[in-house]
Amino acid sequence: MPSRRVTIRDVARAAGVSTTTVSEALSGQGRIAVETRERVRRVAEEIGYVASAAARSLRLGRSGALGLYVPDRTVGFEYYVQLSRGAAEAALTHGMALTLVPAWDNVEQLRALHIDGLIVADPAVGDPVLEVLRSLPVPMVTVEVDLSPGAQPAGVVASDHVSATGELLDHVVATGAGSIAVLAPGEETSFGRQIRAVCRRYAGIRVVDIPLAYRPEDATGAVDAALAAGADALVLVPDGSAIVALHHLQGRGIRVPDDLLLASYVDGPSLQIARPRITAVDIDPRGTGEAAVRALVDIVVHSRRDVVETRVPSRLHVRESTRA
């Protein structure tokens, strides 16, 4: 027969304190001595006590879940998969679950979400779902700055895209490329706006439009437009679009890097095993997801009131695709 489950009363009896003290010690709540808190936690571990997430959430008046909203049509994009993974792992370390919030058109169902806080990845101006999510009575942390008028998130986690884009473009310019085309999303997101602002600093760099949540035909069409304008180097910004571009170029008989240089702003596993391997910027999506959860936990659990701002470092990886 299975052994009896250890309860909070067992911990209280073993530690010689009340069940209220045990509850406060294990939840980090209440005003009890540090020595008592540590002793209760040590006893709980020794006798194998595992707190019930449901009971804890009920006691604290919280759902025990955080929401994550990502742009529409990005399911399967490597960046958002890694961001979601980092967020889910970080949530579990804090005893919380992560709920993926889709681009849903049922307003009432969105407003009925039972979550303690929300993470929004790449908020875009004019997103109708985001308008509904902002009305929820829970704190919001955005991954990148929300450019919408009046947006007041409780926290922001972002990369320095200005510096990272400049480093990547400086590298491509240094290869001797004569005509560089940057395939970039619009300025409805902070991500796209920063990258386009950097491109305007370089004479002779052409920006070609491509949606952030692109379809394969969007990427191939943008590549063809850049080639028609005489580009001898392509920098693709949206996650995964450089792989689509590489396959399209190879289908046209264009060799990378012999005939044309190719780089990506967003790095990912597929770029590291492509032939040739593709130069890219690692903006650490997994670390970004973890940072977003930490910021939200600070607000939800620890009642932090000031706006939490976190900067995620990035790193340029130079590979064969830009070695002329």
Side-chain angles (χ1 to χ4, degrees):
M1 293 180 63
S3 59
R4 183 179 68 85
R5 186 175 184 273
V6 178
T7 69
I8 194 171
R9 289 186 177 85
D10 297 322
V11 178
R13 189 179 303 111
V17 297
S18 68
T19 55
T20 299
T21 298
V22 173
S23 176
E24 292 178 347
L26 298 181
S27 66
Q29 308 295 315
R31 297 180 179 180
I32 59 178
V34 174
E35 295 81 2
T36 302
R37 190 184 304 277
E38 291 304 318
R39 179 161 56 89
V40 169
R41 289 177 175 174
R42 185 174 62 255
V43 169
E45 183 177 351
E46 289 173 353
I47 68 175
Y49 173 72
V50 179
S52 165
R56 183 174 63 249
S57 296
L58 181 63
R59 183 176 65 252
L60 298 176
R62 296 197 295 261
S63 70
L66 304 176
L68 172 62
Y69 174 65
V70 299
D72 196 16
R73 296 207 321 270
T74 56
V75 175
F77 283 17
E78 291 176 353
Y79 173 86
Y80 296 104
V81 169
Q82 292 299 320
L83 185 145
S84 300
R85 180 179 177 183
E89 291 173 344
L92 281 176
T93 65
H94 292 283
M96 306 185 81
L98 187 74
T99 299
L100 183 62
V101 180
W104 205 242
D105 58 4
N106 189 312
V107 173
E108 294 308 314
Q109 288 182 332
L110 285 175
R111 287 178 176 159
L113 281 171
H114 194 40
I115 54 178
D116 298 320
L118 181 66
I119 299 168
V120 174
D122 290 313
V125 175
D127 183 346
V129 176
L130 187 51
E131 292 295 326
V132 177
L133 295 177
R134 285 197 195 95
S135 70
L136 298 179
V138 296
M140 176 185 294
V141 168
T142 61
V143 174
E144 305 304 336
V145 175
D146 189 347
L147 300 175
S148 303
Q152 294 181 318
V156 179
V157 176
S159 298
D160 184 356
H161 299 299
V162 172
S163 297
T165 303
E167 185 178 9
L168 176 58
L169 293 181
D170 285 345
H171 162 70
V172 178
V173 169
T175 64
S179 179
I180 303 171
V182 178
L183 283 58
E187 299 194 18
E188 65 277 2
T189 66
S190 172
F191 173 68
R193 181 171 296 186
Q194 290 180 66
I195 287 174
R196 285 176 175 256
V198 176
C199 290
R200 287 193 285 268
R201 300 177 187 174
Y202 292 78
I205 286 186
R206 175 188 298 271
V207 176
V208 180
D209 295 336
I210 182 174
L212 179 64
Y214 64 91
R215 298 166 298 181
E217 57 267 32
D218 296 325
T220 56
V223 168
D224 289 339
L227 295 177
D232 59 2
L234 301 180
V235 177
L236 287 99
V237 174
D239 171 38
S241 58
I243 287 292
V244 178
L246 177 62
H247 293 163
H248 183 60
L249 292 168
Q250 291 171 338
R252 291 188 50 173
I254 298 173
R255 299 170 300 167
V256 176
D258 303 306
D259 304 324
L260 180 136
L261 304 183
L262 179 65
S264 172
Y265 182 72
V266 180
D267 200 3
S270 62
L271 278 68
Q272 300 166 29
I273 62 173
R275 291 292 179 267
R277 297 187 304 152
I278 299 174
T279 292
V281 176
D282 179 6
I283 55 177
D284 193 7
R286 191 166 173 179
T288 299
E290 294 172 354
V293 167
R294 286 197 302 270
L296 199 50
V297 167
D298 271 350
I299 298 162
V300 171
V301 177
H302 305 301
S303 303
R304 183 168 176 175
R305 296 294 177 228
D306 56 314
V307 176
V308 181
E309 296 185 354
T310 307
R311 183 71 69 182
V312 180
S314 58
R315 181 182 179 186
L316 173 63
H317 294 280
V318 176
R319 302 186 180 111
E320 292 89 347
S321 68
T322 55
R323 292 174 181 161

